Amino acid sequence: MRAAVFHEPGDIRVEDVPDPSIEAPTDAILRITRTAICGSDLWFYRGHRDYEAGWRTGHEPMGVVEDVGSEVRSLEPGDRVLAPFAISDGTCEFCRQGLHTSCVHGNVWAAEHDGAQGEAVRAPQADGTLVKIPERAEGDASLLRALFPLTDVMGTGHHAAVSAGVEAGSTCVVVGDGAVGLCAVLAAQRLGAERIIAMGHHEERLEKARGFGATDIVSSRGEEAVEAVREMTRGGARHVMECVGAASAIETAISVCRPGGTIGYVGVPFGAEDGGLDMFRLFRENITLQGGIAPVRAYIPELMDDVLDGTLDPSPVFDKTIGLEEVPDGYAAMDERESIKVMVEL
């Protein structure tokens, strides 16, 4: 089969790789129909994260089950499913708490494992990981497209909003205008926020944020942006969503958070570990920092219900659609900021 393979920074190639097969009784084989390129993939693409030559890429699978192991109970061949970026058994202590990303039998897609940027994957812990899509979505391309972001980016944006404590009537700030930031705006709108301030540097992305529910836009940089938000909110917002991961974004989130407020952080912090964190300011102003890697599997059922009801559609976050053989071009487009997020259709 064909799949995307990492060779070195800036060099992703689509190559022939072995077909996946059942290795454990809890496995399933999934034929991919949609996948994507994630902003977090750019960290290894740019050489900012250690990644070995020959490792596979992609962690957002959607497709059709082709085979199942002898212990798989909830799925059968022909089922259309989607899966979060993290593999989980669905039964351990942490899965039962809704923290599937800490599953004791968990894992991740890609790297030395099967990557979702390919024609098929072996899905470990299939009962806990793969989520069946109702048959009513069959044949409805727009509905399937709207469901697909639940594999990662919509669930991650939702985690930012939930972690920040966003609720009906809230005033909140979203730091970052990438795909996760846009979905955080949409999540805050879904939760009933009254005022949503989107901070970013790209006018076309901020316009998309406005379409997702942002009531205010701040496109300036540095201290000028911070002062603008603090003036708009009379001293800061109680709910701030950090959706970038860079040290500067975390500093901005702290600076625009109101005393006693909460920052929901979901930006992957590659490169931020050496930037330091103003713990004294968090301490002095009683600011709560809450979040981390999103347990997307826990959020899929409620978000799927809204997509199926027609009240939620995160699919506009994708602004470029390509085929599998074009995946290297998709990485280049995102790296050069010519695209917010790329969908791959097979």
Side-chain angles (χ1 to χ4, degrees), residues 4 26 38 49 57 95 107 126 133 165 173 202 208 258 346:
T26 53
C38 182
R49 171 189 170 193
T57 60
C95 288
N107 215 317
I133 296 172
V173 175
H202 306 89
K208 187 160 289 195
R258 199 175 195 84
L346 286 76

Coordinates of all heavy atoms in Angstrom, one line a residue, residues 4 26 38 49 57 95 107 126 133 165 173 202 208 258 346:
A4 N 2.6 7.9 3.6 CA 3.6 9.0 3.8 C 4.7 8.6 4.8 O 4.4 8.0 5.9 CB 2.9 10.3 4.2
T26 N -7.4 -7.7 19.7 CA -8.1 -6.5 19.9 C -7.9 -5.5 18.8 O -8.4 -4.3 18.8 CB -7.7 -5.8 21.2 OG1 -6.2 -5.7 21.2 CG2 -8.1 -6.6 22.4
C38 N -1.6 17.9 10.4 CA -1.9 18.7 11.6 C -0.8 19.7 11.8 O 0.4 19.5 11.4 CB -1.9 17.8 12.8 SG -2.3 18.6 14.4
R49 N 11.5 18.7 16.4 CA 11.2 17.6 17.2 C 11.9 16.4 16.6 O 12.0 16.2 15.4 CB 9.7 17.3 17.2 CG 9.3 16.0 17.8 CD 7.8 15.7 17.6 NE 7.5 14.3 18.0 CZ 6.3 13.7 17.7 NH1 5.4 14.3 16.9 NH2 6.1 12.5 18.1
T57 N 3.8 8.9 9.2 CA 3.2 10.2 9.6 C 1.7 10.2 9.6 O 1.1 9.4 8.9 CB 3.7 11.4 8.7 OG1 3.3 11.1 7.4 CG2 5.2 11.5 8.8
C95 N -9.4 6.0 31.3 CA -10.4 6.1 30.3 C -11.8 6.3 31.0 O -12.6 7.1 30.5 CB -10.4 4.9 29.4 SG -9.1 4.7 28.3
N107 N -1.6 4.4 23.3 CA -0.5 4.6 22.3 C -0.8 5.8 21.4 O -1.9 6.4 21.6 CB -0.1 3.4 21.5 CG 1.4 3.2 21.3 OD1 2.0 4.2 20.9 ND2 1.9 2.0 21.4
A126 N -9.2 -1.6 19.2 CA -10.2 -1.0 18.3 C -11.5 -0.7 19.0 O -12.1 0.3 18.7 CB -10.5 -2.1 17.2
I133 N -19.6 5.6 13.0 CA -20.4 6.7 12.5 C -21.7 6.2 12.1 O -21.8 5.2 11.5 CB -19.7 7.4 11.3 CG1 -18.4 8.0 11.7 CG2 -20.6 8.4 10.6 CD1 -17.5 8.5 10.5
G165 N -13.0 27.0 31.4 CA -14.2 27.2 32.1 C -15.3 28.1 31.3 O -16.2 28.7 32.0
V173 N -11.0 34.9 25.6 CA -10.0 35.3 24.6 C -9.4 34.0 24.1 O -9.1 33.1 24.8 CB -8.9 36.1 25.2 CG1 -7.7 36.4 24.2 CG2 -9.4 37.5 25.8
H202 N -3.0 36.9 11.1 CA -3.3 36.6 9.7 C -4.8 37.0 9.5 O -5.7 36.4 10.0 CB -3.1 35.1 9.4 CG -1.7 34.6 9.7 ND1 -1.4 34.1 11.0 CD2 -0.6 34.6 9.0 CE1 -0.1 33.8 11.0 NE2 0.4 34.1 9.8
K208 N -12.0 34.1 9.2 CA -12.7 32.8 9.5 C -13.1 32.6 10.9 O -14.2 32.1 11.2 CB -11.7 31.7 9.1 CG -12.3 30.3 9.1 CD -11.6 29.3 8.3 CE -11.7 29.5 6.8 NZ -11.3 28.4 5.9
R258 N -7.6 37.8 33.4 CA -8.0 38.6 34.6 C -7.6 37.9 35.9 O -7.6 36.7 36.0 CB -9.5 38.7 34.5 CG -10.1 39.9 35.3 CD -11.6 40.0 35.1 NE -12.2 41.2 35.6 CZ -12.2 42.4 34.8 NH1 -11.6 42.4 33.6 NH2 -12.7 43.5 35.3
L346 N -9.0 10.1 0.2 CA -8.5 8.9 -0.6 C -9.7 8.3 -1.3 O -10.8 8.4 -0.9 CB -7.9 7.9 0.4 CG -6.5 8.2 0.9 CD1 -6.6 9.3 2.0 CD2 -5.8 7.0 1.4

